[in-house]
Amino acid sequence: MSHSPNQPILLTSSLHVDDARKAIAALVDDLIQESRAINDPADIETVALDKAIDRILAVDLLSPIDVPAADNSAMDGFAFDGKCLDTTSPTISLRIVGTAFAGKPYDGTIGSGECLKIMTGAVMPAGCDTVIPQEFTTTKDELTIEFKQDQLKLGENRRLRGEDLQQGKPAIAAGRLLRPSDLGLAASLGIPTLQVKRKLKVAILSSGDELRSLGQALDAGSIYDSNRYSLTGLLNRLNLEIIDYGIVRDDPASLKQAFIEAANKADVLISSGGVSVGEADFTKQIMQELGDVGFWKIAMRPGRPMAFGVLKPVAGKSLARKTLFFGLPGNPVAVMVTFYQFVRAALLQLNGANQIQPPLTQAMAEAPIRKKPGRTEFQRAILGRSADGKPTVRLTGSQGAGILRSMSEANCFVILGHEQGNIAAGDWVDIALFDGLL
């Protein structure tokens, strides 16, 4: 199979899911290399820290300071010179000469046989390198503590300057999909703005004479278009700019015009419908005219038919970039499955993210699951927990590609591999959560 964006992606009768992912990643990588050659400064923008959530960091964020800024105590306790631990005496006694608080350093010095009462985060005073936790000590009198010599070692409970971050070193690497904790980290370094990748422009459209917009009456054989709303929600989760071309009729001229307009304005075009066998003849013809697109039959359920490739630059486009194209199935569940399994990762990769695949975990099947080897299946399911605390998973019921309710009820996919067969109750299976803590 060719991966070059200058050649069409070859039609295959039964493409393995992993091979499809590799082909997509290879083509996206080629597009990234072409984009770097253009070197458009508009690809990076500076945003306020409170506006940076879910954006992708464009350059390494370098720490302007050491963290911590000075040696400090990791415990509430007593700071002292650890050399006094080098003794044969089982008990050590130290005289308290003062107190250090976080934000209020002690400006005196600590001599031999002396210690300083110190709070967590307080700067270690001169002459001190070890902290004994308060609960390990006994009070001999108001100014003297005692503790057993073997309760700690030299240097314990001290956090060193620059232990977390060193000045001038990366605090957050480029390509990070910024999370709340990242914003907090940047704020802790005194950084008010971040350089992020510009939002990708993603055009969406639905194709089909049977589709109706919300608010229109349904006549015989027609249905409401749900796919654009599912796609809009999925894309908003990635904080992208959406261009909605609405419903396009099954007419070559209308579809071609919509594709040309999208190629002028968008980095990516996602269509749904018109890619299954018997539907896509004129779509294939349009793709041959406008770009290099292959029509795939992927060994998966749901989501078997899918088109993928690039639309070539057209007259009037501001930059000579190709537009990435995904032609997704028309069935509502298949749209969401193919988006989760292929499109999401490609969008993140194209936008410079270095974390593109969501993590998998495992759960125990509550009931048997039927599965034929020879295809990868993504079954809608609900993750729960057994009485003894083990993660369990059960299917939402019928797994038909048109049953959108099954996606609404589910909180995860059960992912059954290409070679897997039937699953027995109690077997452990891979799952991918729809949502997760960040």
Side-chain angles (χ1 to χ4, degrees):
M1 174 177 292
S2 171
H3 297 324
S4 170
N6 298 316
Q7 300 175 10
I9 299 173
L10 300 181
L11 174 66
T12 179
S13 59
S14 184
L15 187 64
H16 194 293
V17 166
D18 290 341
D19 291 334
R21 287 183 178 138
K22 290 175 184 177
I24 292 169
L27 183 54
V28 172
D29 188 60
D30 285 340
L31 294 179
I32 291 171
Q33 298 306 318
E34 290 183 6
S35 178
R36 286 174 179 166
I38 296 172
N39 194 26
D40 181 10
D43 283 343
I44 297 176
E45 59 182 343
T46 300
V47 299
L49 194 58
D50 61 354
K51 305 297 184 185
I53 191 67
D54 291 333
R55 300 296 295 272
I56 295 170
L57 191 65
V59 296
D60 287 348
L61 181 67
L62 304 182
S63 177
I65 57 175
D66 287 329
V67 181
D71 290 6
N72 68 82
S73 177
M75 294 280 188
D76 288 346
F78 299 90
F80 60 96
D81 184 350
K83 293 187 183 71
C84 71
L85 297 173
D86 187 17
T87 176
T88 57
S89 174
T91 302
I92 294 175
S93 296
L94 297 174
R95 186 169 65 90
I96 305 169
V97 297
T99 303
F101 298 92
K104 295 182 179 180
Y106 180 76
D107 58 6
T109 58
I110 309 301
S112 177
E114 297 177 336
C115 69
L116 180 77
K117 188 173 184 178
I118 194 166
M119 306 303 166
T120 302
V123 173
M124 294 285 285
C128 293
D129 57 13
T130 306
V131 175
I132 178 75
Q134 183 170 328
E135 58 269 25
F136 290 174
T137 66
T138 57
T139 302
K140 186 175 182 180
D141 55 51
E142 289 186 358
L143 295 178
T144 307
I145 60 164
E146 290 185 344
F147 58 91
K148 294 181 179 179
Q149 183 265 352
D150 61 358
Q151 285 186 300
L152 79 167
K153 297 179 181 179
L154 175 70
E156 275 197 87
N157 304 315
R158 174 184 61 160
R159 297 178 66 227
L160 300 176
R161 175 175 178 170
E163 180 177 299
D164 293 342
L165 292 170
Q166 295 182 8
Q167 184 178 11
K169 299 293 185 181
I172 308 175
R176 177 75 155 186
L177 183 63
L178 292 165
R179 306 177 301 178
S181 56
D182 300 320
L183 307 192
L185 176 57
S188 76
L189 302 175
I191 297 173
T193 61
L194 295 175
Q195 287 185 285
V196 298
K197 300 289 288 186
R198 70 168 176 86
K199 294 183 180 182
L200 288 179
K201 295 180 179 179
V202 182
I204 60 174
L205 63 85
S206 295
S207 173
D209 287 340
E210 77 282 8
L211 299 177
R212 299 291 181 269
S213 297
L214 300 185
Q216 291 183 315
L218 291 180
D219 46 15
S222 63
I223 58 173
Y224 287 120
D225 175 22
S226 63
N227 288 342
R228 284 186 300 118
Y229 293 90
S230 295
L231 286 172
T232 296
L234 292 165
L235 292 168
N236 279 331
R237 287 279 181 89
L238 298 178
N239 204 2
L240 303 174
E241 183 177 336
I242 302 170
I243 308 171
D244 187 352
Y245 282 94
I247 298 170
V248 180
R249 300 303 173 199
D250 286 329
D251 168 66
S254 299
L255 195 61
K256 183 176 180 179
Q257 183 59 36
F259 278 32
I260 289 174
E261 290 183 17
N264 269 308
K265 296 180 180 179
D267 301 289
V268 182
L269 169 61
I270 305 172
S271 71
S272 65
V275 295
S276 62
V277 175
E279 292 179 342
D281 288 342
F282 66 79
T283 307
K284 290 180 183 178
Q285 181 180 346
I286 293 171
M287 292 299 93
Q288 288 172 352
E289 295 177 25
L290 299 181
D292 299 323
V293 176
F295 287 74
W296 290 352
K297 297 175 184 176
I298 304 176
M300 64 183 290
R301 179 176 181 265
R304 186 167 178 255
M306 191 176 83
F308 169 71
V310 292
L311 306 181
K312 297 175 182 177
V314 293
K317 191 165 185 177
S318 58
L319 291 173
R321 288 195 177 107
K322 296 181 176 72
T323 296
L324 188 64
F325 171 71
F326 286 93
L328 305 184
N331 282 322
V333 175
V335 166
M336 298 191 74
V337 170
T338 49
F339 183 95
Y340 273 122
Q341 301 309 318
F342 304 114
V343 182
R344 180 183 181 276
L347 294 174
L348 290 172
Q349 181 187 352
L350 186 62
N351 211 19
N354 55 20
Q355 305 156 292
I356 62 174
Q357 291 292 353
L360 299 181
T361 186
Q362 286 199 322
M364 194 167 56
E366 291 185 8
I369 303 174
R370 296 179 63 183
K371 163 70 166 63
K372 292 181 179 180
R375 68 186 182 194
T376 304
E377 293 192 7
F378 302 91
Q379 307 230 19
R380 287 83 76 192
I382 300 171
L383 178 67
R385 194 169 293 278
S386 65
D388 59 359
K390 293 179 181 178
T392 61
V393 68
R394 60 182 174 85
L395 301 187
T396 55
S398 178
Q399 298 291 302
I403 304 176
L404 193 54
R405 176 184 53 79
S406 67
M407 284 292 291
S408 181
E409 293 177 352
N411 60 16
C412 67
F413 287 124
V414 171
I415 301 179
L416 304 177
H418 190 87
E419 301 301 332
Q420 273 185 286
N422 291 333
I423 304 298
D427 286 352
W428 289 85
V429 291
D430 289 334
I431 64 168
L433 290 170
F434 291 167
D435 303 298
L437 295 176
L438 295 178

